[in-house]
Amino acid sequence: MIRLDNISKQNGHQILFIEASMSVQKGEKVGLVGPNGAGKTTLFRMITGQEQPDDGLVAIDPGMTIGYFSQDVGEMSGQSAVAAVMDGVGPVCALAAEMSSLEAAMVDPDQAHELDAIMDRYGEVQGRFEELDGYALDARAREVLAGLSFSQERMDGDVGLLSGGWKMRVALARILLMRPDGMLLDEPSNHLDLESLIWLEAFLKSYGGALLMTSHDRAFMNRIIGKVVEIDGGSLITYSGDLDFYEQQRALGEQQRQARYERQQAMLAKEIKFIERFKARASHAAQVQSRVKKLDKIERVEAPRRRQSVQFEFRSPPRSGDDVISLRNIHKGYGAEPIYAGLDFLVRRKERWCVLGANGAGKSTLLKLVAGATTPDQGTVGIGASVRMGYFAQHSMDLLDGEETIFESLDGAFPHAGQGALRTLAGCFGFSGDDVEKPCRVLSGGEKARLVMAKMLFDPPNLLVLDEPTNHLDIMTKEMLVAALADFEGAMLFVSHDRHFLGALSNRVLELTPEGIHQYGGGYSEYVARTGQEAPGLHPGG
């Protein structure tokens, strides 16, 4: 289906691939992994023909259709979300648009004299639309958009008015509706809530074509893929199995390489010692010469490259009172839309609440009420004695000064910390060496999130309020964050669509549903076991 044979590729001074090969067959679901900047997006672009390899061959089966979802969503406006999704399927959308304009023309008194011609044309267009199964396509487009949490109103509204995250969903829906022979999905799990993520997981499991995808969401990837391709130092290495199996095999391979390297180093040291000792003696000249030749011919085993993963260790936050947050009789709505009507909620010291609920249920609103970013229409939000709050929201990243470098941003926040401590902090959050000199305006979403997180956690609060903290974070940073937060001694209130994060860190669940608000002792894993669902209103398998 898709084959890369001995490809080499260089971007500027950076060598991405050296004689690398891989393939994806029909029905295979493959996860593409590798550190940031390793060349995952370049690989996708070479498969779609947007870039060419410097050497080697990219082969696609003749007639094979490929759908490519990337984070780079083009301009969308002037049509509804449904029309934008159907657009990807070709002529059907143009016919739907023409039918719509002909329907308007039929009731336009200025065009009454042309009514017969308009109706004839409408009959032709409608006939062709039916031939191409257009009515079913509209229903399928709506089904896909509903799966990605679009309301009917949002489906029919102007796509140009949507936020970047919702436009991403439209672009993803377009690929899913196409059902191409092969799908390339670059981070499809970004910007999705838990319900959409679970729906997409079920959709991709049932998809029969060839799938190559990247994702920073470990649980999502693990449930879909049966093969991993890793980009490692210019090579493409294929492992059968899911991410967990790949990591076991990779660790085993590294141990074996390390052992081979150490054995060879010991042998070389012994030979070199012999040569040094006897090189001046004529009686040993032949032996010395033969050993020198032998050493020249030996293929050196390289030391395994160690993946950099720095652990962040919390300083202990100051102790708060036992009651950290108390919400009493909270009423809150937007316009005529009530979100809370009489909410009572208490967070105590050392409790870690995850908040679950469908889009629009009020998850972010709850966090904003606690953080003081919005006020209740009625009721009181009480913050307990000695509580110091750290609030992370998506807009936190917009508050960074674009002209400051990463180091200047950290130094401005902690002027007395000292250079060494700040460089260590930057390293923990993935900014090593010269990275700290990057200006904030050039940072990716993930880099900005890491910087904001570093600033929040260096001088730790005793209450963390986190709204989707893992959006944009790669798997390694996420693992570091989970490990660090596991030792956090304060209270937490958070929203996340990452099931690994939810399961590892929560010990209480607040569930927001149209039927009411439910509180569960025990964390997310216990919630799933008790309710038989991974998100409110969703049963396993979608």
Side-chain angles (χ1 to χ4, degrees), residues 119-181:
M119 295 206 40
D120 286 348
R121 176 63 187 155
Y122 186 79
E124 287 169 26
V125 174
Q126 190 181 34
R128 181 78 184 117
F129 186 74
E130 283 174 353
E131 266 174 46
L132 293 173
D133 216 8
Y135 289 110
L137 191 69
D138 180 88
R140 273 177 47 217
R142 287 176 187 278
E143 192 184 320
V144 170
L145 285 168
L148 295 175
S149 299
F150 275 74
S151 62
Q152 288 298 331
E153 191 183 353
R154 205 171 242 148
M155 287 180 202
D156 293 315
D158 184 347
V159 74
L161 302 176
L162 297 176
S163 69
W166 286 98
K167 283 180 181 168
M168 289 271 186
R169 296 186 194 211
V170 171
L172 178 60
R174 190 182 271 188
I175 305 294
L176 302 181
L177 184 67
M178 271 173 70
R179 287 235 170 198
D181 303 321

Side-chain angles (χ1 to χ4, degrees), residues 278-298:
F278 294 112
K279 67 181 176 188
R281 297 190 192 177
S283 58
H284 286 75
Q287 280 173 289
V288 167
Q289 207 53 42
S290 114
R291 292 194 183 203
V292 168
K293 280 183 183 162
K294 180 176 143 190
L295 284 191
D296 285 344
K297 286 180 185 164
I298 285 174

Side-chain angles (χ1 to χ4, degrees), residues 450-468:
R450 297 204 308 261
L451 177 56
V452 170
M453 206 81 70
K455 289 169 82 165
M456 186 172 66
L457 299 180
F458 182 63
D459 185 15
N462 48 28
L463 166 63
L464 287 175
V465 179
L466 309 174
D467 195 354
E468 293 289 3

Side-chain angles (χ1 to χ4, degrees), residues 186-245:
D186 194 0
E187 292 296 342
S189 51
N190 270 6
H191 303 286
L192 295 187
D193 52 60
L194 189 56
E195 293 75 18
S196 306
L197 205 57
I198 293 164
W199 177 87
L200 179 59
E201 197 177 274
F203 185 99
L204 293 177
K205 277 182 181 169
S206 66
Y207 167 65
L211 173 66
L212 180 66
M213 65 181 279
T214 66
S215 174
H216 290 156
D217 188 317
R218 183 190 191 88
F220 173 72
M221 187 111 111
N222 247 352
R223 293 173 187 211
I224 295 166
I225 62 170
K227 179 167 147 181
V228 172
V229 171
E230 179 189 40
I231 304 175
D232 186 17
S235 298
L236 289 167
I237 305 162
T238 300
Y239 298 80
S240 58
D242 63 10
L243 270 183
D244 291 341
F245 182 73

Side-chain angles (χ1 to χ4, degrees), residues 26 51 79 84 164 289 318 422 442-443 469-470 481 487 534:
K26 184 177 180 179
E51 289 191 35
Q79 56 184 162
Q289 207 53 42
L422 293 182
V442 305
L443 301 182
T470 60
L481 190 61
D487 296 327
E534 294 189 282

